[in-house]
Amino acid sequence: MAVSELAGKPAPREMLVNIPRLISAYYTQKPDPNNPAHAVAFGTSGHRGSSFASTFNEDHILAISQAIAEYRASQGTTGPLYLGMDTHALSEPALTTAIEVLAANGVEVFVQEGRGYTPTPVISHAILTYNKGRTEGLADGVVITPSHNPPGDGGFKYNPPSGGPADTGTTKIVQDRANELLREGLKSVKRYCIDHALSLDNVHQYDYVTPYVNDLANVIDMDAIAKSGLKIGVDPMGGAGVGYWRPIIEKYGLNIEIVNPYVDPTFSFMTVDKDGKIRMDCSSPYAMASLIGLKDRFDIAFGNDPDTDRHGVVAPSVGLLNPNHYLAVAISYLFQNRPNWRADAAVGKTLVSSSMIDRVAAGLGRRLAEVPVGFKWFVDGLVDGSYGFGGEESAGASFLRTDGTVWTTDKDGIILDLLAAEITAKTGRDPGQHYQDMEAKFGSPVYERIDAPATVEQGKILANLTPDKVTADTLAGDKITAKLTRAPGNDAPIGGLKVVTENGWFAARPSGTEPIYKIYAESFKGAEHLKAIQEEAQQIVSAALGA
């Protein structure tokens, strides 16, 4: 993909979304139940869309909320439902719609006082805190967010009592019921007007901030950060974390400067991403250009996406750390500085994350648990402490409390931010410097994701390949050591193909929304070798599809 001439530059005013028109479309545009493009579709992170495209409208949220109310009743989930939203413009009307439906269904709903914003990890933390020691009357939650997606998008995801993203079995039940409700004209949807809903005894105004902030000392060495006097910069990027950093500063006495304390649904303060769109991706050097430009003002700095489940760490030594690089540093540090974790606690990674993590895990003598793409695969391991860490290449991760018990089962950008400060405070070196040490020890990998064309039918074939369809014996001059269509860590289908050699690998997965497949590739032998891997990857995939 060519880099836009606007990439890394302030967003021009003509690019900003028309918020009144976007909200109007939420209420006035009706999805066609006979149009598959308008249907409720739960991906790895819930249902997403835009009101302009008739893919995220009031009817969708009415149907999904009713489907969730029915599902939790069928599962005997009778505890509170923790409901939160991020700062996207469509999140506010969707929150109102959800409250109206959940209240009418008799669900005990907890929303932030003053209808404020709630990060994804805070919802997970609230669910797990409530459910600790309970076997019945369990809590679950909903987060209204399209993550880092552009300002005109909306998203809606369900977290069951495990606190993390719902598995595909659950989301299929909710998705199918929601689409059934759309087809029947929403006749079975129960709903109260918002004023009546908010007056009911089962709808509660709740302080999410204080319990989460007070508990941070049990997952991060906050005293070490405070005593170090580190000068820290944080950019919430106009997201749900904006209301959390001031209480963190006050509670722990940290020297933090909030460089952007504002919420603006147009996200007009953003610099444009690589493809010329406004996207609050804290792992993108283009979207993070403003904070990167301030790196020399701080000992460490970081940003988050709108629902605060992702992290972007800016170090004076290197600028914005590549997400894979920081995951490797975090893993190396944590497993050497958390003595109360289980001795057999594994390192969890997605199969498209860097093999640097494999080498770090081997150096630590820790089991590597390589799972398919999606944070839901880390939930069980984090709950029982058998995974000390779970991380995705897209800058999302969580890890255990210092005593080895679960913190969150969803990605937590706040603790990954604060971990970067802890690392810097306790070692006297920033994470970028630590990664340079790793390269000297393990080699210097080159990693990239590219797209290749594929029809819908080819995508289906790719998602269901078996290793015997790959006939090649070598990849970019190296002997192939593994051909994977199931994840080594849990034997779950990966929805694609991964081919591994001693010095590199590629993984190919079909897109769920576009006529392409994604090729993730990495080489420990340099850029030319990586290019050879990418070229041969397309040949290997084409041959497998043909077979």
Side-chain angles (χ1 to χ4, degrees), residues 425-441:
K426 297 190 76 169
T427 68
R429 305 174 77 239
D430 72 43
Q433 293 169 310
H434 284 282
Y435 187 75
Q436 290 168 348
D437 292 345
M438 287 182 179
E439 288 187 314
K441 182 177 181 180

Side-chain angles (χ1 to χ4, degrees), residues 341-424:
W341 287 8
R342 283 170 44 173
D344 64 345
V347 175
K349 61 163 273 195
T350 52
L351 64 94
V352 295
S353 300
S354 173
S355 286
M356 177 65 89
I357 295 171
D358 304 43
R359 299 184 182 198
V360 168
L364 294 167
R366 291 283 182 164
R367 180 174 72 88
L368 182 76
E370 188 174 25
V371 302
V373 173
F375 205 81
K376 63 188 177 186
W377 300 107
F378 299 123
V379 170
D380 291 344
L382 290 169
V383 166
D384 66 15
S386 61
Y387 287 9
F389 181 98
E392 297 184 309
E393 82 297 336
S394 57
S398 190
F399 50 89
L400 300 177
R401 297 167 181 266
T402 52
D403 67 359
T405 60
V406 64
W407 169 255
T408 61
T409 47
D410 217 328
K411 296 169 286 192
D412 190 335
I414 292 176
I415 65 167
L416 268 295
D417 289 346
L418 291 170
L419 180 66
E422 179 187 328
I423 291 170
T424 307

Side-chain angles (χ1 to χ4, degrees), residues 357-546:
I357 295 171
D358 304 43
R359 299 184 182 198
V360 168
L364 294 167
R366 291 283 182 164
R367 180 174 72 88
L368 182 76
E370 188 174 25
V371 302
V373 173
F375 205 81
K376 63 188 177 186
W377 300 107
F378 299 123
V379 170
D380 291 344
L382 290 169
V383 166
D384 66 15
S386 61
Y387 287 9
F389 181 98
E392 297 184 309
E393 82 297 336
S394 57
S398 190
F399 50 89
L400 300 177
R401 297 167 181 266
T402 52
D403 67 359
T405 60
V406 64
W407 169 255
T408 61
T409 47
D410 217 328
K411 296 169 286 192
D412 190 335
I414 292 176
I415 65 167
L416 268 295
D417 289 346
L418 291 170
L419 180 66
E422 179 187 328
I423 291 170
T424 307
K426 297 190 76 169
T427 68
R429 305 174 77 239
D430 72 43
Q433 293 169 310
H434 284 282
Y435 187 75
Q436 290 168 348
D437 292 345
M438 287 182 179
E439 288 187 314
K441 182 177 181 180
F442 297 117
S444 181
V446 185
Y447 178 103
E448 188 178 26
R449 197 203 94 181
I450 62 173
D451 298 333
T455 65
V456 172
E457 186 59 33
Q458 288 173 326
K460 291 178 180 178
I461 296 171
L462 177 57
N464 294 284
L465 276 182
T466 52
D468 60 279
K469 300 298 183 184
V470 179
T471 58
D473 297 318
T474 62
L475 174 66
D478 294 324
K479 181 182 178 181
I480 292 174
T481 57
K483 303 171 184 179
L484 304 172
T485 55
R486 304 184 78 87
N490 59 1
D491 199 39
I494 66 177
L497 170 70
K498 184 174 182 178
V499 175
V500 184
T501 72
E502 182 181 353
N503 296 303
W505 59 270
F506 80 83
R509 300 178 64 249
S511 168
T513 57
E514 301 174 87
I516 60 170
Y517 68 92
K518 304 171 184 179
I519 299 175
Y520 304 81
E522 184 174 48
S523 167
F524 275 81
K525 294 171 69 174
E528 287 302 313
H529 188 244
L530 175 68
K531 186 176 180 181
I533 290 176
Q534 292 169 329
E535 290 173 351
E536 292 188 26
Q538 294 183 64
Q539 296 169 12
I540 289 171
V541 171
S542 294
L545 292 177

Side-chain angles (χ1 to χ4, degrees), residues 126-315:
I127 294 168
L128 294 171
T129 300
Y130 182 86
N131 288 342
K132 185 177 181 179
R134 298 177 187 267
T135 57
E136 57 185 12
L138 300 179
D140 56 1
V142 165
V143 191
I144 301 172
T145 173
S147 187
H148 61 293
N149 283 14
D153 286 9
F156 200 96
K157 61 183 183 179
Y158 174 64
N159 285 24
S162 62
D167 61 31
T168 51
T170 297
T171 56
K172 187 176 189 306
I173 293 171
V174 173
Q175 170 186 295
D176 291 350
R177 176 55 176 155
N179 285 320
E180 182 182 5
L181 290 164
L182 288 174
R183 287 191 296 271
E184 69 170 37
L186 304 173
K187 292 177 183 176
S188 300
V189 173
K190 300 176 183 178
R191 182 185 192 183
Y192 291 144
C193 72
I194 188 61
D195 287 343
H196 179 61
L198 291 174
S199 72
L200 297 174
D201 291 340
N202 60 310
V203 177
H204 309 272
Q205 301 279 328
Y206 179 70
D207 173 19
Y208 281 103
V209 181
T210 301
Y212 177 87
V213 170
N214 287 349
D215 209 9
L216 283 170
N218 292 309
V219 70
I220 296 289
D221 191 340
M222 302 298 283
D223 286 341
I225 301 172
K227 290 174 182 176
S228 72
L230 286 178
K231 189 172 184 183
I232 301 168
V234 60
D235 184 355
M237 295 175 77
V242 71
Y244 283 71
W245 289 108
R246 182 59 56 191
I248 289 172
I249 293 167
E250 294 171 354
K251 169 71 177 177
Y252 297 105
L254 304 188
N255 184 17
I256 291 179
E257 178 185 342
I258 305 171
V259 300
N260 173 22
Y262 305 109
V263 171
D264 171 5
T266 68
F267 293 88
S268 61
F269 44 73
M270 287 298 301
T271 49
V272 177
D273 205 0
K274 179 180 180 178
D275 59 357
K277 295 181 179 180
I278 297 175
R279 184 181 290 105
M280 291 64 69
D281 182 356
C282 50
S283 67
S284 164
Y286 302 101
M288 287 280 280
S290 297
L291 188 59
I292 295 168
L294 300 176
K295 71 180 180 66
D296 294 330
R297 275 176 45 185
F298 303 107
D299 298 308
I300 195 73
F302 28 75
N304 299 107
D305 64 336
D307 71 318
T308 323
D309 69 342
R310 298 189 184 204
H311 57 270
V313 175
V314 177

